[in-house]
C-alpha cells in the first residue's frame, strides 16, 4: 500500500470524524454502555476500517503500517472510542497469523462486517492453560467489556509453552467485571475458572505471533500519540492567538512563543520516531525491538510533555471536560500503560541492544 492510499485513508477518516465525532457528539458516545456505539461501528465497517488488515482476497485493504498509522493518527486526534486498535488491528492480526482455514473462514467475514468484536488479554502471566481449559484472570483488558470473542494468552503448565486461544466472551464459567478507564473507554477484568478455549496457536509459532502483535500495537499507539500531539499543538497555538490579557494576545509573550516552538519540535520528533518504528516492523525481531521500544519510550515522555504544556497554557480550564485537551491528556495517560509502559519499553530496548552485557562478560 503506497503513501497516496494512506493519505486518502487519512483524509477520508479526518472528514468523517470532523462531521460526526466533534466533542459534543463524543460526550454522547461516552454515555453509552462501554462507550460503544453499534451504529458508529457499523459505519466503520462500511468505510472498510474493520477490514483494514484483512487480505484483499477476503475483501480487506491489506493495509501496511503506514496506512494503519494514518488511521491511528485520526483516531488519536479525534479521540474515537470504539475498539479499532484492540479488535481490527491487534487481535485480528493474531487471527491472521495463526488461525487455521476453518477459523479464518468463520471469523474473517464477521470481523469485516463488524458482526463480532475481538479483544486481546495481553501478556500470559495471569492465565494458565490446563488440558484445554483456562484458569486465572486478565486485568484491564481494553474493550474486554464489549468484546464478543477474547484472544487469550496463557501459559501451558504441562508443556511449558505459550498458548493463544479463542474464547467466547459470554461462555460460562467466564466472568467479566466491567469498568471505565480514566479516558472513558471501557475495559474489563476477566476471570477464567475452567473456561474452555479454542486453540489458536501454541509454542514457538504463538510466541513469534505474540511478539509481532505487541510490536504492531506499540507502533499503532505511537501513531495515535502523534495524532494527539498534533491536535494539542494546534489547539495551544490557536489559544495563544485568541486569548487576550492586558489588551493583547498572550501569544505575543516571548516566553510562551518559545514554549510553543518546543512543543512543535517535540511534535516533529514524535512523528519521525513513529515513522522509523513503522519501517522497523519489517526488520528481524532484535532490530525491530530496538526501534519500536525506543520509539514508544521516547514518545511516551515527549507526548506527556506536550500535554503538560498544553494544559498549562490554557490555565485552569485546560483540565475541564469542556476542552478537548483534557481528554487528549487522559488518553495519553492510558495509552502510555498499554502493551508495555515506558519503563518496560526501555527494559526491552536494553535487552535487545549491546548496552547490556551478557553474564560473565567483562
Amino acid at each position: 500500500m503506497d503513501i497516496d492510499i494512506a493519505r486518502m485513508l487519512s483524509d477520508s477518516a479526518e472528514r468523517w470524524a470532523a462531521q460526526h465525532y466533534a466533542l459534543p457528539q463524543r460526550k454522547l458516545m461516552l454515555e453509552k454502555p462501554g462507550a460503544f456505539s453499534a451504529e458508529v461501528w457499523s459505519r466503520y465497517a462500511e468505510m472498510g476500517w474493520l477490514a483494514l488488515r484483512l487480505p484483499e482476497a477476503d475483501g480487506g485493504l491489506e493495509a501496511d503500517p503506514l496506512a494503519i498509522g494514518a488511521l491511528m493518527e485520526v483516531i488519536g486526534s479525534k479521540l474515537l472510542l470504539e475498539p479499532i486498535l484492540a479488535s481490527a488491528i491487534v487481535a485480528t492480526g493474531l487471527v491472521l497469523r495463526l488461525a487455521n482455514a476453518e477459523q479464518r473462514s468463520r471469523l474473517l467475514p464477521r470481523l469485516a462486517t463488524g458482526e463480532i468484536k475481538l479483544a486481546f488479554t495481553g501478556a500470559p502471566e495471569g492465565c494458565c492453560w490446563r488440558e484445554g481449559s483456562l484458569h486465572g484472570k486478565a486485568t484491564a483488558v481494553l474493550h474486554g467489556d464489549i468484546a464478543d470473542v477474547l484472544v487469550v494468552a496463557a501459559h501451558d503448565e504441562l508443556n511449558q509453552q505459550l498458548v493463544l486461544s479463542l474464547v467466547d466472551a459470554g461462555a460460562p464459567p467466564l466472568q467479566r467485571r466491567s469498568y471505565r478507564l480514566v479516558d472513558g473507554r471501557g475495559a474489563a477484568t476477566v476471570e477464567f475458572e475452567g473456561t474452555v478455549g479454542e486453540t489458536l496457536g501454541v509454542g514457538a509459532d504463538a510466541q513469534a505471533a505474540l511478539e509481532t502483535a505487541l510490536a504492531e500495537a506499540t507502533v499503532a499507539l505511537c501513531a495515535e500519540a502523534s495524532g494527539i500531539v498534533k491536535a494539542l499543538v494546534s489547539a495551544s497555538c490557536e489559544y495563544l492567538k485568541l486569548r487576550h490579557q492586558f489588551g493583547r494576545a498572550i501569544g505575543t509573550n516571548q516566553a510562551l512563543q518559545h514554549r510553543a516552538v518546543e512543543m512543535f519540535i517535540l511534535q516533529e520528533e514524535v512523528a519521525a520516531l513513529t515513522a522509523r518504528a513503522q519501517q522497523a516492523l519489517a526488520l528481524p525481531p532484535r532490530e525491530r525491538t530496538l526501534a519500536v521500544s525506543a520509539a514508544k519510550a521516547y514518545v511516551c515522555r515527549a507526548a506527556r510533555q506536550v500535554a503538560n504544556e498544553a494544559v498549562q497554557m490554557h490555565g485552569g480550564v485546560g483540565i475541564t471536560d469542556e476542552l478537548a485537551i483534557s481528554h487528549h491528556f487522559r488518553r495519553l495517560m492510558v495509552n502510555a500503560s498499554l502493551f508495555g509502559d515506558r519503563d518496560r519499553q526501555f527494559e526491552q530496548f536494553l535487552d535487545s541492544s549491546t548496552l547490556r552485557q551478557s553474564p560473565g562478560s567483562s
Side-chain angles (χ1 to χ4, degrees), residues 4 74 124 131 224 242 330:
D4 291 331
V74 177
E131 299 179 348
E224 183 175 339
L242 297 178
R330 281 173 273 179

Side-chain angles (χ1 to χ4, degrees), residues 5 23 31 46 104 150 171 173 176 201 241 305 315 345:
I5 296 178
L23 191 58
E31 296 175 2
E46 293 172 8
R104 289 173 69 98
L150 300 173
R176 286 190 286 187
K241 296 175 186 177
Q305 184 176 340
Q345 297 296 338

Side-chain angles (χ1 to χ4, degrees), residues 3-60:
I3 192 170
D4 291 331
I5 296 178
R7 187 177 293 113
M8 289 173 58
L9 179 62
S10 175
D11 290 344
S12 63
E14 185 75 34
R15 286 194 301 272
W16 182 87
Q19 295 174 2
H20 303 283
Y21 230 102
L23 191 58
Q25 293 160 308
R26 183 179 184 273
K27 289 180 178 178
L28 293 177
M29 304 282 188
L30 284 168
E31 296 175 2
K32 298 178 179 292
F36 175 78
S37 168
E39 180 181 354
V40 170
W41 190 246
S42 177
R43 180 60 179 146
Y44 292 165
E46 293 172 8
M47 293 188 290
W49 295 6
L50 306 188
L52 196 66
R53 301 210 54 181
L54 302 188
E56 292 181 4
D58 294 303

Side-chain angles (χ1 to χ4, degrees), residues 254-273:
Q254 193 174 58
L256 292 179
Q257 291 175 5
H258 289 168
R259 289 168 67 180
V261 169
E262 290 174 358
M263 291 171 69
F264 178 77
I265 292 172
L266 289 170
Q267 170 188 301
E268 296 305 294
E269 290 176 347
V270 167
L273 281 170

Side-chain angles (χ1 to χ4, degrees), residues 208-226:
L210 175 61
E211 291 173 0
T212 300
L214 292 176
E216 291 172 342
T218 300
V219 173
L221 285 174
C222 287
E224 183 175 339
S226 183

